[in-house]
Amino acid sequence: MARWKPDLREAEATPEALYLRRREFLRLGAAGAVGTAIGAVPLPALAGPDDPAGEVLPVSRKVDMAGGEKATTWKSVTTYNNFYEFGTDKSDPAERAGSLRPRPWTLAVDGEVKRPLALHVEDILKLAPLEERIYRHRCVEAWSMVVPWVGFPLAELVKRVEPTSRARYVVFQTLLDPAQMPGQRSRVLDWPYTEALRMDEAMNPLTLLTVGLYGRVLPNQNGAPLRVVIPWKYGFKGAKSIARMRFVETQPRTSWAILAPSEYGFYGNVNPAVDHPRWSQAKERRLGEFFRRDTLPFNGYGAEVAGLYAGLDPRKLY
Ligand SMILES: Nc1nc2c(c(=O)[nH]1)N[C@H]1C(S)=C(S)[C@@H](COP(=O)(O)O)O[C@H]1N2
Ligand SMILES: [Mo]
């Protein structure tokens, strides 16, 4: 992420154009397979299915928090990803995340808590009713989506472990296992991927412990089996495939800030007024749309979260 600028090739192409390119690639792949021994050449898993796929989750209610906007297609949400554990191209996660084994999976919750826990995903799913939350999703790279996530407020989990009075931050760590996550063999980032929230940010009802997408379990490329989604922050704050949550007293160092401290602040709040050192954050391109649109302060969630930052220098709101 530190190395790229908003990619003009991707950013200017309509998703339709991208699909056409992919379809053409698939057709060539299919022709290639026919030309050799049938079945001997695996087709590239470039294009995902058009319609939601995977195990259906029991969703108790649906909450639209994207102002009635149409959700980005399943296909775009599951094939245009950032997940550097599987490579740095947008198409890499969908093509390569098959090596991740999201079950069985244990989440360790420890640090400054009275009741440290190790929880299986199945038990996490039972902690609270699952909701569909339609959120805007904004990457630092100036693309955005509207995503129907499935999960429940992270606060529900935090309450169970009873943080001590010393707990001021919660740290999220992605699984560290280069056998499952081959991208960890190269040093693009400081592994395991580490992100963190201040305690009040973690407890805000918008912060979603996320297990699904479009009513289905999370595809690997979107962070199976468990990720966090903080809709008023840039996407990088939402760690995927979380194996450990740790409560700590001092502000931890996080992966992107370690790599490029001048480019990624701790807060990562969406702020159109503060440019990234190498590009403007004033506008964004919604996947599926041609024209750029204005980026909203706090990604449109200011009414819910601006109060968390009262007294903080507005220039720090990124
Ligand atoms: N473990 C891990 N989590 C990650 C990333 C990553 O590379 N590794 N990329 C982040 C970035 S930069 C973004 S924009 C979002 C993308 O989420 P999505 O692919 O589900 O849209 O995931 C975030 N979480
Ligand atoms: Mo991102």
Side-chain angles (χ1 to χ4, degrees), residues 1 81-85 137 139 143 149 174 193 222 227 235-236 238-240:
M1 196 160 75
N81 301 100
N82 273 336
F83 200 168
Y84 277 24
E85 285 84 342
H137 178 49
C139 175
W143 51 264
W149 303 109
T174 296
Y193 193 99
N222 293 94
R227 70 177 295 176
F236 74 89
K240 293 178 168 182

Side-chain angles (χ1 to χ4, degrees), residues 215-287:
R216 314 294 181 121
V217 296
L218 274 181
N220 288 359
Q221 60 268 36
N222 293 94
L226 195 71
R227 70 177 295 176
V228 67
V229 170
I230 313 106
W232 70 94
K233 293 180 181 283
Y234 292 116
F236 74 89
K237 292 296 294 180
K240 293 178 168 182
S241 305
I242 298 168
R244 185 176 183 198
M245 281 175 48
R246 198 158 37 90
F247 291 78
V248 299
E249 196 169 1
T250 52
Q251 186 174 300
R253 301 194 68 207
T254 50
S255 293
W256 288 109
I258 290 170
L259 187 76
S262 67
E263 302 189 11
Y264 306 101
F266 174 80
Y267 286 101
N269 291 325
V270 174
N271 187 352
V274 177
D275 291 341
H276 183 278
R278 291 181 286 132
W279 60 81
S280 164
Q281 291 290 21
K283 288 186 181 289
E284 67 197 61
R285 192 181 66 89
R286 271 274 200 287
L287 264 71

Side-chain angles (χ1 to χ4, degrees), residues 19 48-55 71-81 145-146 148 212-219 221-222:
Y19 291 158
D50 289 307
D51 299 317
E55 194 188 319
T72 303
T73 63
W74 165 268
K75 190 164 190 163
S76 290
V77 177
T78 59
T79 57
Y80 191 88
N81 301 100
M145 305 185 187
V146 173
L213 194 61
Y214 271 96
R216 314 294 181 121
V217 296
L218 274 181
Q221 60 268 36
N222 293 94

Side-chain angles (χ1 to χ4, degrees), residues 79-308:
T79 57
Y80 191 88
N81 301 100
N82 273 336
F83 200 168
Y84 277 24
E85 285 84 342
F86 299 101
T88 56
D89 285 350
K90 294 288 172 286
S91 55
D92 286 340
E95 289 171 28
R96 300 183 187 166
S99 53
L100 175 68
R101 294 187 310 274
R103 308 243 170 147
W105 190 278
T106 310
L107 170 74
V109 190
D110 60 7
E112 289 293 347
V113 294
K114 290 183 197 125
R115 302 183 54 218
L117 284 175
L119 286 164
H120 296 299
V121 199
E122 290 74 13
D123 298 324
I124 294 169
L125 290 173
K126 288 181 215 140
L127 285 180
L130 295 180
E131 297 172 17
E132 177 174 286
R133 294 268 188 104
I134 307 179
Y135 281 160
R136 299 178 203 96
H137 178 49
R138 170 65 157 82
C139 175
V140 168
E141 295 165 296
W143 51 264
S144 64
M145 305 185 187
V146 173
V147 185
W149 303 109
V150 178
F152 57 78
L154 175 68
E156 299 286 344
L157 171 62
V158 174
K159 282 183 221 152
R160 314 262 161 164
V161 296
E162 298 177 33
T164 72
S165 58
R166 281 189 296 277
R168 291 182 54 223
Y169 296 88
V170 54
V171 184
F172 304 90
Q173 278 189 358
T174 296
L175 177 74
L176 179 64
D177 182 356
Q180 290 187 62
M181 297 180 151
Q184 291 176 338
R185 295 206 174 95
S186 71
R187 296 188 175 205
V188 271
L189 278 175
D190 190 60
W191 311 114
Y193 193 99
T194 301
E195 258 308 333
L197 296 173
R198 219 168 56 185
M199 212 52 185
D200 55 348
E201 298 176 321
M203 297 304 283
N204 186 278
L206 287 186
T207 300
L208 198 70
L209 190 64
T210 302
V211 295
L213 194 61
Y214 271 96
R216 314 294 181 121
V217 296
L218 274 181
N220 288 359
Q221 60 268 36
N222 293 94
L226 195 71
R227 70 177 295 176
V228 67
V229 170
I230 313 106
W232 70 94
K233 293 180 181 283
Y234 292 116
F236 74 89
K237 292 296 294 180
K240 293 178 168 182
S241 305
I242 298 168
R244 185 176 183 198
M245 281 175 48
R246 198 158 37 90
F247 291 78
V248 299
E249 196 169 1
T250 52
Q251 186 174 300
R253 301 194 68 207
T254 50
S255 293
W256 288 109
I258 290 170
L259 187 76
S262 67
E263 302 189 11
Y264 306 101
F266 174 80
Y267 286 101
N269 291 325
V270 174
N271 187 352
V274 177
D275 291 341
H276 183 278
R278 291 181 286 132
W279 60 81
S280 164
Q281 291 290 21
K283 288 186 181 289
E284 67 197 61
R285 192 181 66 89
R286 271 274 200 287
L287 264 71
E289 292 180 0
F290 185 76
F291 292 106
R292 284 164 195 255
R293 52 163 75 206
D294 290 340
T295 286
L296 304 171
F298 297 108
N299 208 20
Y301 301 101
E304 289 87 351
V305 301
L308 294 173

